[in-house]
Amino acid sequence: MTVPLEYRALADRFEAIRAKAGRTPDALVPRSIMRGIAAGLSREPSLRRVDPMKSHQQRSLWGRLADEAAARPEQVGFILLGDGGRAELAERLGVPHRTLTARLDGWRRARPRLVVPYSGRRKAGGAPLVAVQIPTASDLVLWAAKTRSVLDGVDGRPPHPLLVADAAERLAMLGTRGPATDSWPDLDDAIEDLGEAIVRRGGEPPSRRLNTGRQR
């Protein structure tokens, strides 16, 4: 399978964090966090105002693409394709080949870019699609891995996965990278601040997965 150099670089960064933490990919970044990233990408308040996302069909397809990009943490926000290329991805997403081509092109040209398609070596008939990256997903997978690799100075444990999932979903809704945090109270505060930012953008913050009951 041909993979982009950009994927290798990010996958190596994830592996370095994972190895230092001494945990498996799923233990470091559990499925709850990956689901939060995918959900946030689908609920970003600005999507309805972006030309490639104004229809329900386009947003539905975007949601399925986000699910694919967040299927596994070690994929670091990439969808890797085999020999089937674009046709393989179209089948996985349940859309015609031409529809996928048009949508990827529109999302690639959006500002900021929603996706980065990668092509392999040109063959007869054109260069095959080998991977699609959602940059925000890449950023948040690495952020979640780094956040979960740091042990809290008080209780000696990593941040709870559901706490990180709550933050990741809100960050994905804002299309931004995660904040640097040293303890779970800092992350709890960040989640509240992110919710307020979502409201200012005209969105509705999602329900908390983990309610710590902490008051500022």
Side-chain angles (χ1 to χ4, degrees), residues 120-128:
R121 291 183 178 180
R122 180 170 293 276
K123 302 177 181 178

Side-chain angles (χ1 to χ4, degrees), residues 7-212:
Y7 163 75
R8 283 295 181 203
L10 294 180
D12 287 348
R13 285 176 58 189
F14 178 85
E15 175 58 21
I17 297 170
R18 185 212 63 75
K20 186 175 181 180
R23 279 176 270 170
T24 65
D26 288 335
L28 184 62
V29 185
R31 184 62 189 145
S32 58
I33 297 174
M34 300 304 294
R35 284 197 298 266
I37 293 172
L41 288 169
S42 299
R43 297 186 58 195
E44 187 175 344
S46 63
L47 285 183
R48 294 174 183 269
R49 299 189 293 272
V50 176
D51 283 338
M53 293 288 189
K54 286 185 176 179
S55 76
H56 171 75
Q57 291 83 358
Q58 289 168 329
R59 292 193 299 274
S60 177
L61 177 58
W62 171 251
R64 296 197 296 276
L65 190 76
D67 286 340
E68 289 280 345
R72 298 284 304 168
E74 61 268 32
Q75 290 180 196
V76 286
F78 280 75
I79 303 168
L80 302 177
L81 303 171
D83 294 337
R86 197 178 304 267
E88 174 189 330
L89 182 57
E91 183 176 356
R92 285 161 63 174
L93 297 175
V95 295
H97 184 285
R98 290 183 178 179
T99 299
L100 177 63
T101 297
R103 297 295 174 259
L104 288 178
D105 188 54
W107 297 338
R108 176 184 59 81
R109 289 186 283 104
R111 290 293 178 267
R113 282 190 302 180
L114 296 172
V115 302
V116 180
Y118 292 91
S119 299
R121 291 183 178 180
R122 180 170 293 276
K123 302 177 181 178
L129 185 69
V130 298
V132 175
Q133 178 196 17
I134 298 183
T136 300
S138 298
D139 289 341
L140 291 179
V141 169
L142 291 173
W143 170 79
K146 183 65 176 178
T147 300
R148 289 267 300 150
S149 71
V150 178
L151 302 182
D152 187 88
V154 176
D155 62 18
R157 295 183 296 180
H160 195 289
L162 296 183
L163 193 67
V164 178
D166 283 335
E169 182 170 2
R170 286 157 177 75
L171 288 163
M173 289 181 70
L174 294 169
T176 187
R177 298 184 179 188
T181 58
D182 295 322
S183 65
W184 74 260
D186 292 339
L187 190 55
D188 212 35
D189 283 344
I191 291 170
E192 295 304 314
D193 292 339
L194 291 167
E196 293 172 4
I198 290 169
V199 171
R200 289 195 295 272
R201 290 198 184 184
E204 181 179 348
S207 299
R208 290 286 297 263
R209 293 173 175 81
L210 182 68
N211 196 330
T212 62

